[in-house]
């Protein structure tokens, strides 16, 4: 009988990002023993087969009790592990009282349930978990995703040095795109296995939001989804929108994010006289985001730095035509004018021309692009494919 691999996934918060939740769903279906560690968020957690959640309490009075229970449990089950953990803390870490408590809150439950493989979802947190390799020789897998690789180490010298110091200790890397893998390799002094496994989407869940209405559009509704950060390139989209409106095109632009719009975006919206055309939306949950996708006419990804954006994959499956910048990550899945439209990154004039093109496309042309996009996502971005490729990655380490 094949031994079940015990995998721990750490993301910081539970539930976490769509990518991590889809990964958990996929792995639970194929029978791996999955342990999820993190701080509980407000949404209710639905039980999944083969998945055990160990959640850190939010209130301080509960945290002290949590530490006590975890410490006693570890001392009883494996006192040597407990002594190693305490000794490591005393020799390596010099924190204040509050930081010490938070460190033990995060680490004690993991050491209490020491996995075969510890899968870290955010590169910035690798330094905190490297002790699992140093003192317990736990296999470490690190996901390479988004800003943690593309620009954070460029602006943070200390972070870049940590990557150089700790990346060689990681047993295997998982990258969401070839472009991200190439960026991460800059911080490796020795050759390491970097496995590219593309993100997946839940087809069953997204099918409920599939766009099927292709009637004549009176006002074209563009949509972007993502935090208000300079790397998202929204100012290029607003500049392009201004020119479209001036040229007589009837269109609106909505941006969905969890934070508040920056002063720059508010200023540009006012300066370009676009208040009647721009909406800044704060959605309560992911379901609302998908509902906006369903009623929109085109998704814009004007970013100046991405791996492969989840929102593009979701939009392509739902049937929302996509326009995105020609970043190396996005070019791995997009063929210009075949399954989406690409524009030159940071070039608002080129974005403007692609926005005009998507508005002016005949229904047959637009339907073909949408069909090709959906076919690509169904072929390469299923939960089954993600889980089987990740399972193979884990098996190769044990």
């Amino acid at each position: 009988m094949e031994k079940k691999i015990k995998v721990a996934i750490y993301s910081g918060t539970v539930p976490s990002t769509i990518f991590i939740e889809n990964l958990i769903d996929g792995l639970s279906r194929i029978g791996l023993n999955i342990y999820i560690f993190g701080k509980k968020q407000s949404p209710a957690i639905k039980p999944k087969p083969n998945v055990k959640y160990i959640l850190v309490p939010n209130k301080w009075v509960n945290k002290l009790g949590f530490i006590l229970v975890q410490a006693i449990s570890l001392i009883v089950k494996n006192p040597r592990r407990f002594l190693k953990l305490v000794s490591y803390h005393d020799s390596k870490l010099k924190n204040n009282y509050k930081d010490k408590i938070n460190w033990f809150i995060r680490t004690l439950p993991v050491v209490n349930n020491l996995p075969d493989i510890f899968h870290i979802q955010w590169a910035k947190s690798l330094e905190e978990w490297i002790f699992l390799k140093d003192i317990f020789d736990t296999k470490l897998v690190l996901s390479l995703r988004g800003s943690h690789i593309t620009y954070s180490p460029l602006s943070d010298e200390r972070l870049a040095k940590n990557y150089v110091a700790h990346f060689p200790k990681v047993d295997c890397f998982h990258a969401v795109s070839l472009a991200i893998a190439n960026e991460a390799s800059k911080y490796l002094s020795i050759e390491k296995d970097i496995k590219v496994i593309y993100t997946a989407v839940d087809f069953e869940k997204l099918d409920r939001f599939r766009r099927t209405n292709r009637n004549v559009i009176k006002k074209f509704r563009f949509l972007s989804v993502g935090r208000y950060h300079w790397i998202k390139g929204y100012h290029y989209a607003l500049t392009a929108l201004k020119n479209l409106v001036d040229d007589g095109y009837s269109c609106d632009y909505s941006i969905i994010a969890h934070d508040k719009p920056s002063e720059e975006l508010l200023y540009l919206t006012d300066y370009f006289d676009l208040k009647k055309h721009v909406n800044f939306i704060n959605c309560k949950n992911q379901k609302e985001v998908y509902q906006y996708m369903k009623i929109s006419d085109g998704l814009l990804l004007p970013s100046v730095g991405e791996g492969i954006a989840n929102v593009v994959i979701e939009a392509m499956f739902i049937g929302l035509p996509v326009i995105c910048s020609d970043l190396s990550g996005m070019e791995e899945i997009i063929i210009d004018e075949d399954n989406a439209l690409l524009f030159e990154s940071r070039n608002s004039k080129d974005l403007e021309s692609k926005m005009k093109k998507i508005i002016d496309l005949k229904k047959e042309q637009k339907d073909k692009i949408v069909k090709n996009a959906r076919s690509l996502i169904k072929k390469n971005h299923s939960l089954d494919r993600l889980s089987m490729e990740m399972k193979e990655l884990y098996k190769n380490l044990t």
Side-chain angles (χ1 to χ4, degrees), residues 203-328:
F203 297 160
E204 185 178 342
K205 183 186 296 182
L206 288 183
D207 254 335
R208 288 176 279 171
F209 304 96
R210 187 176 179 184
R211 290 180 76 255
T212 55
N213 186 0
R214 304 261 175 234
N215 294 333
V216 176
I217 299 168
K218 294 182 179 179
K219 178 176 281 191
F220 202 93
R221 297 158 295 189
F222 289 106
L223 176 71
S224 288
V225 181
R227 61 200 175 105
Y228 296 112
H229 190 280
W230 64 267
I231 204 164
K232 295 300 181 181
Y234 293 138
H235 52 292
Y236 297 112
L238 290 176
T239 302
L241 181 70
K242 153 78 172 163
N243 293 332
L244 257 70
V245 171
D246 286 350
D247 287 348
Y249 281 83
S250 179
C251 51
D252 283 343
Y253 181 37
S254 296
I255 303 175
I256 296 176
H258 294 302
D259 47 346
K260 294 181 179 180
S262 65
E263 289 185 4
E264 177 196 21
L265 296 181
L266 292 174
Y267 171 79
L268 285 176
T269 302
D270 182 67
Y271 180 74
F272 289 153
D273 195 23
L274 292 174
K275 286 185 176 181
K276 294 181 179 179
H277 301 275
V278 175
N279 304 295
F280 298 107
I281 301 170
N282 190 320
C283 285
K284 296 178 182 178
N285 52 53
Q286 194 61 35
K287 181 179 178 181
E288 287 189 13
V289 177
Y290 296 146
Q291 286 170 338
Y292 273 104
M293 284 188 182
K294 185 174 182 178
I295 63 172
S296 298
D297 302 305
L299 181 88
L300 298 184
L301 186 83
S303 297
V304 300
E306 291 279 354
I308 294 178
N310 274 12
V311 66
V312 167
I313 295 173
E314 291 166 341
M316 291 171 81
F317 184 82
I318 285 173
L320 180 60
V322 171
I323 303 174
C324 75
S325 51
D326 59 352
L327 305 169
S328 53

Side-chain angles (χ1 to χ4, degrees), residues 16-76:
S16 188
T17 62
I18 294 173
F19 172 83
I20 297 172
E21 292 303 309
N22 283 340
L23 172 62
I24 294 168
D25 285 344
L27 294 176
S28 73
R29 296 177 187 180
I30 58 175
L32 294 183
N33 285 328
I34 309 297
Y35 284 70
I36 308 298
F37 299 92
K39 184 181 294 186
K40 184 179 179 181
Q41 300 285 74
S42 55
I45 299 170
K46 296 180 180 179
K48 298 180 177 71
N50 307 305
V51 178
K52 182 177 181 179
Y53 290 93
I54 301 173
L55 305 176
V56 174
N58 292 303
K59 295 181 179 179
W60 269 97
V61 64
N62 296 329
K63 288 182 179 180
L64 296 175
F66 181 83
I67 285 182
L68 184 61
V69 170
Q70 291 293 327
I72 292 173
S73 176
L74 185 56
I75 291 170
V76 171

Side-chain angles (χ1 to χ4, degrees), residues 81-173:
R81 282 186 193 170
F82 179 79
L83 291 174
K84 282 184 177 182
L85 185 65
V86 172
S87 177
Y88 177 89
H89 178 274
D90 291 343
S91 64
K92 296 285 187 179
L93 305 175
K94 296 180 180 179
N95 303 325
N96 60 41
Y97 178 72
K98 187 175 181 179
D99 288 339
K100 287 177 183 287
I101 290 177
N102 283 326
W103 189 80
F104 278 112
I105 280 176
R106 290 190 294 270
T107 58
L108 273 170
V110 174
V111 178
N112 244 328
N113 301 274
L114 201 63
D116 299 308
I117 296 169
F118 190 74
H119 190 162
I120 303 167
Q121 296 298 325
W122 303 110
K124 287 182 181 179
S125 65
L126 174 61
E127 182 183 19
E128 179 180 4
W129 296 105
I130 205 70
F131 78 90
L132 291 172
K133 168 61 65 177
D134 290 341
I135 64 177
F136 298 116
D137 199 29
T138 303
K139 299 293 185 182
L140 296 182
V141 174
L142 176 63
S143 283
L144 304 170
R145 301 163 55 207
S147 63
H148 287 235
I149 303 300
T150 53
Y151 67 84
S152 290
L154 299 178
S155 59
D156 186 339
E157 186 177 350
R158 181 183 175 279
L159 183 63
K161 288 181 178 179
N162 281 338
Y163 286 0
V164 171
H166 298 312
F167 273 19
K169 297 181 181 180
V170 174
D171 294 282
C172 186
F173 294 90

